[in-house]
Amino acid sequence: MPRSFLVKKHFNSSKKPNYSELDTHTVIISPYLYESYPVPIIPQPEILSSVAYNPITVWTTTGLLPSPLPNDLSPLSGYPSSLGRVSPPPPSDTSSKDHSGSESPISDEEERIQSKLSDPHAIEAEKFQCGLCNKTYSTFSGLAKHKQLHCDAQSRKSFSCKYCDKEYVSLGALKMHIRTHTLPCVCKICGKAFSRPWLLQGHIRTHTGEKPFSCPHCNRAFADRSNLRAHLQTHSDVKKYQCKNCSKTFSRMSLLHKHEESGCCVAH
DNA sequence: CTGGGGAAGGGGCCC
DNA sequence: CGGGCCCCTTCCCCA
């Protein structure tokens, strides 16, 4: 399975560990690194032709756009890390979109009728107005649906990748994504290509053996900060990732996943 | 089998 | 808008 998971999963931010201890350690990049490998080879960006990001007007309603429907935004509570696999589909996964009916768009009049039918207060004056097109609705839900299906979608541009189905709300995000297809940063030593210079820099450390991130608790050092962070978990009695059934903790989410898949949670 | 290290990929944020 | 950096996550491999 490729490692390309193109969309970041949004877990509960409260689960962010305290990394302050990492900040106390100065990271020194060896000058040798840059003397020996001065600049990454970055070919000309042929990739950003205009067709690469033709703005489109259809916007998926399943994404993480600020939804006016609070009831639809019931975030997964509490247990973010281990629940990553059951998170809602990524916002840009266009292949799985539209369970709410964009295949047969509802007219504004139909929306109003439906809103009135579903809301006992709909007979009151229409008091919910769209700030974009000034249409008024008698119910909040009616306005919300209107905004989701029409106005918000049309007021936003979408930049789509010509190499895959990904769409982005900003050109910058699209350009960055396209680098993952073109891999413009090439290692002079082994020829391996990377999407970003700092990825290449990290890779070059595998050639030089440089490990600028040291563990304050032992004498180990790491080339990658995230790997040091994972290592620091091994020094902690209470690990970051906890099984919700047996309360056993793990230093890595992957270990928790293995634990869950091994049957602990299934058996209950 | 489990835990941990190494390497890498990606989006978000800040300047 | 782009570059650099941060953080998270994953996969592979090994002890």
Side-chain angles (χ1 to χ4, degrees):
Chain A
M1 177 189 296
R3 294 184 186 179
S4 58
F5 44 98
L6 295 172
V7 177
K8 181 178 184 174
K9 299 178 182 66
H10 291 270
F11 296 131
N12 191 332
S13 58
S14 66
K15 275 290 186 180
K16 275 191 175 181
N18 180 9
Y19 299 136
S20 58
E21 57 181 319
L22 293 177
D23 297 333
T24 62
H25 296 83
T26 304
V27 175
I28 301 174
I29 307 296
S30 167
Y32 167 77
L33 185 67
Y34 300 102
E35 291 171 2
S36 302
Y37 319 103
V39 288
I41 303 172
I42 302 179
Q44 292 301 312
E46 48 79 28
I47 30 107
L48 295 176
S49 68
S50 57
V51 294
Y53 37 86
N54 277 337
I56 62 176
T57 55
V58 177
W59 190 264
T60 172
T61 60
T62 59
L64 295 180
L65 294 174
S67 167
L69 291 172
N71 291 340
D72 291 340
L73 294 178
S74 54
L76 293 173
S77 59
Y79 195 62
S81 298
S82 64
L83 290 179
R85 290 170 300 155
V86 295
S87 297
S92 48
D93 184 2
T94 54
S95 62
S96 62
K97 63 187 173 187
D98 283 320
H99 43 61
S100 62
S102 65
E103 346 174 311
S104 57
I106 305 172
S107 71
D108 291 348
E109 188 58 29
E110 288 170 336
E111 290 174 25
R112 297 191 201 203
I113 294 172
Q114 288 187 0
S115 298
K116 290 184 179 183
L117 288 175
S118 61
D119 189 327
H121 303 299
I123 56 175
E124 297 178 15
E126 295 181 333
K127 53 188 176 183
F128 296 96
Q129 185 175 36
C130 175
L132 296 171
C133 68
N134 292 330
K135 285 184 179 178
T136 57
Y137 292 84
S138 57
T139 64
F140 178 78
S141 60
L143 172 62
K145 183 180 287 184
H146 157 76
K147 292 185 72 174
Q148 265 203 325
L149 291 180
H150 304 290
C151 259
D152 278 359
Q154 293 177 3
S155 66
R156 296 170 181 270
K157 286 185 177 179
S158 175
F159 300 90
S160 57
C161 175
K162 71 176 181 180
Y163 296 99
C164 67
D165 293 333
K166 299 282 292 182
E167 296 173 4
Y168 294 87
V169 295
S170 73
L171 182 57
L174 172 64
K175 285 182 176 180
M176 189 173 66
H177 162 75
I178 285 179
R179 294 175 72 95
T180 68
H181 292 292
T182 59
L183 302 176
C185 307
V186 182
C187 176
K188 285 184 175 179
I189 300 174
C190 67
K192 188 169 174 58
F194 299 87
S195 59
R196 296 183 231 181
W198 61 266
L199 272 175
L200 171 61
Q201 183 174 318
H203 165 76
I204 288 177
R205 291 198 190 110
T206 68
H207 293 303
T208 65
E210 185 189 19
K211 296 180 177 180
F213 303 98
S214 299
C215 175
H217 302 107
C218 64
N219 58 356
R220 291 199 64 107
F222 300 84
D224 182 87
R225 187 193 301 269
S226 290
N227 289 338
L228 169 60
R229 191 170 293 124
H231 165 77
L232 287 173
Q233 282 285 305
T234 68
H235 290 297
S236 175
D237 289 337
V238 179
K239 308 296 193 295
K240 177 181 173 183
Y241 303 99
Q242 184 177 41
C243 175
K244 57 186 175 184
N245 284 321
C246 69
S247 298
K248 188 177 180 181
T249 59
F250 299 87
S251 59
R252 297 180 176 212
M253 190 196 312
S254 57
L255 295 176
L256 173 60
H257 286 166
K258 282 183 182 178
H259 168 75
E260 291 175 334
E261 290 166 0
S262 70
C264 173
C265 298
V266 178
H268 294 76

